[in-house]
Amino acid sequence: MSLLTSEWVPYGTENYFRKLEMYSDMYWCNEIDISTSVVIAAPCGGPVIVIRDRTKLVSVKTVGKPIISVYTSSGKIISSFVWSSGHLINLGWSNNEEILCCQDDGLVLIYDLFGNYQHTFSMIKDRQDVKLLDARIANNFIRTIVAVLTETYNIYVMNDITKVKVHILPNIPDMNILPNLWEIVLLERQTNVLISTNHSLYSVSHAECKQQFIGFNDTDYNNDISPTNSIKKISISADHKFIALLNNDNIIWMGSTDLRKVYRIYKKPFSSSIDQMAWCGTEGVALYFKSEETVMIIGKIEDQVSFIYTDPIWLVSEIDCVRVIGAFSNDMLQLVPHYVQEIFRINSTSPSSYLVEASKQFERRNHRANEYIHLVNQMLETAVDHCIKAAGHEIDTSTQKLLMKAAQFGKTFLQNWNPEQYINLCRLLRVLNAVRDPKIGISITYPQLQKISVQTLLDRLVGQRHYYLALQASSYIRMSSTIGSSRILTHWAKFKVKQTQIDKEQLAITIADKLGKYSGVSYHSIAEIAANSGRIQLAIKLLDYETQVNLQIPLLLKYQQDNIALKKAVESGNTDLVYMVLLHMQTSMPLGKFQMEIKKSSVAQALYIKYCHQQSGYSLLDMYTQEDNHEELALYHITESIKSNNTKEMSVSINEAINCYKRTRDEFSLTTCESQIKLIRYQSSLEEKLKNNFRNLTLHDTLLKLLEINELKLADKLHSEFKVPERRYWWARLTILGKQEDWNELEKLSKLKKSPIGYEPFVDICIEHGNKYEALKYLPKVKDDLKQIYNTKITSMS
């Protein structure tokens, strides 16, 4: 335990600060000069941008254009590219580890970690002629915020770069020169910009510009900021809850970011100038004195501690520590967590400390293990819990094992203890140790992991192309396939399809072999990436593995693979997809070629014919005409005649049908059409003669209508000319007479001659219309075997 606490520095009365060496041998130690570079680190142990500090004079052996180099936290090079665009005014990281490059023309260019251009957005769309003086980039693990200062001293803010909506902030009074300092402050519900001029400190939001008064001297707030006593450094904590201000008198003011609460005003004089200032978690402010080779941490409540650094460094604020990045090492300075202190502090008597000692004695097979367990017996569950939590705060694997073994030893004495927390942390620690490896170089801590989530960590591994490690980690911590393995492999496949040197046949098979056993893999999105990279044939092959046909079809059509799309749509049995393909083919192909293609599939042709019947008859006519399908052409003309209300058009359509039937030698259909033409002409003559509408009536309905209007001669003529069967004619007359209740004419009809339909229908018509007396007249003429039945029907009438 003495070794563990050797780097602990007392802080206040009961606490300690410690230095943890994340990487003691940086890869870049012979490549970069920290003293002449600007270092911009992504949060939570992320990658680091290194660019030459153009404000310092150094001998340049290469081109004069800026070179942007991206390294891991362990100093391993990820990428390096020459900046060849406009004048660069600032760089920063997005919340998903993309590089944001702000130019003085208002454009913000976004690159991935490997220097691949992604896209661009503008911060001053309405004023293209305005130049920028400065820019700031901040993020809160959820969204990335960009603010820019123009040469007209206006401030534009974008609250979320994914939404690309720019707001202009209210003007700052009397600001006609570049401000001393300005920073983005993310309050709970809004984005503010804090601006320090020679005379004042302003907090600017979307709604107002408010002057702030800071009491550095605890006396007159109004006079503390002056041209001779202005603020020269601002530092904001990683969680944007705390702020520190340093004025020209080297007085440090620490408080809340809304400037309403003061935690500490540090007035002790410094013997040299402060080169850097950054928050150490939320506990205090770290100050770097380059001339003294010292990092001093001033707590926001009490005391201060110091650490020696002989080589130039950069301070990076994190939510639980401050990263100290140097040419030879990458350290963390942090307040020793409570659970770690109570276990390893000298002369500690906490239950967790006794449990660790009991575990160590048990490993040595010493009977004193039992004594220590008895000491902690009443608080054993708490001791186990504290050992597990302390292990999460350690980066040294041997210390982690010591604490987890102690927890494992203690839980054997507990009944009904839930091991879930223990198991989860074991898995997470293994993942954390893997990503902290210098070859990977993500120096993330357990509290930082809790802040960003495991899924975000996997996204960062994928972003750095550590696909295998991400896949193993997702499997080890048992993440669902949708957000774990399938998603990771999809990203891997998207990367692979961009590698144009790999054969498309082999690559498609390789991707399918790798991804085949995982559900939820999005082959269509991989195919889109392949197509966008100019590898259309590879995209088509990848689409063969897409299980959702509705995602396959649009892309196949986009890549002009209409025949394959039609085949897959027909095989799917989804008529909507078939129609989608057919309509696309109809508009993109010559008519003749389209008709030849759909003829290859009977299902597609049948569906197209159905569509044409409902929507486009002319297309149907063209298709039948080109194929010389006279039978279907005849049916088409007959259908058109039925739809028409014009007698002339109906006759023309039926005549066309007659011509078609002549070619097919269909005598029955030909005779039927000729009879229909004859009926249409007869109906036209009736309309002229009787001034009544007979259009679109069948032969039988025409006969009934003539009988209804008492045109018996014309009805007899129709009966004769169209050879209406005698039985049908008598039924028609009988139905109309019964409907008109013309019983005298009905009686005359029965006596005219022997009824071809018998006399039972006469009785039925009378019964139907409730005339019992008339029904009795025809009862004697009913067949003998039916008289009893009809007699019962008549007598049962009310």
Side-chain angles (χ1 to χ4, degrees), residues 373-409:
I373 283 293
H374 277 296
L375 287 174
V376 76
N377 191 41
Q378 301 300 318
M379 299 282 290
L380 189 56
E381 188 168 344
T382 301
V384 171
D385 180 62
H386 286 193
C387 284
I388 294 171
K389 289 178 177 177
H393 292 284
E394 292 297 323
I395 63 169
D396 179 66
T397 55
S398 59
T399 309
Q400 293 170 1
K401 288 178 182 178
L402 173 69
L403 293 168
M404 295 306 279
K405 280 184 178 180
Q408 183 183 31
F409 177 66

Side-chain angles (χ1 to χ4, degrees), residues 4-41:
L4 289 172
T5 59
S6 61
E7 292 288 337
W8 290 18
V9 179
Y11 168 68
T13 54
E14 297 182 353
N15 292 310
Y16 298 87
F17 265 90
R18 67 177 176 179
K19 178 170 76 172
L20 296 175
E21 269 195 356
M22 295 298 298
Y23 305 109
S24 58
D25 187 12
M26 300 287 279
Y27 284 94
W28 67 21
C29 60
N30 297 319
E31 296 178 21
I32 67 167
D33 182 0
I34 291 288
S35 62
T36 60
S37 303
V38 176
V39 175
I40 305 167

Side-chain angles (χ1 to χ4, degrees), residues 674-691:
E674 289 173 343
S675 298
Q676 182 66 20
I677 286 284
K678 184 179 177 182
L679 177 62
I680 290 171
R681 291 170 182 167
Y682 189 81
Q683 288 172 336
S684 298
S685 66
L686 289 176
E687 286 182 349
E688 291 177 7
K689 185 176 182 179
L690 303 175
K691 306 300 179 187

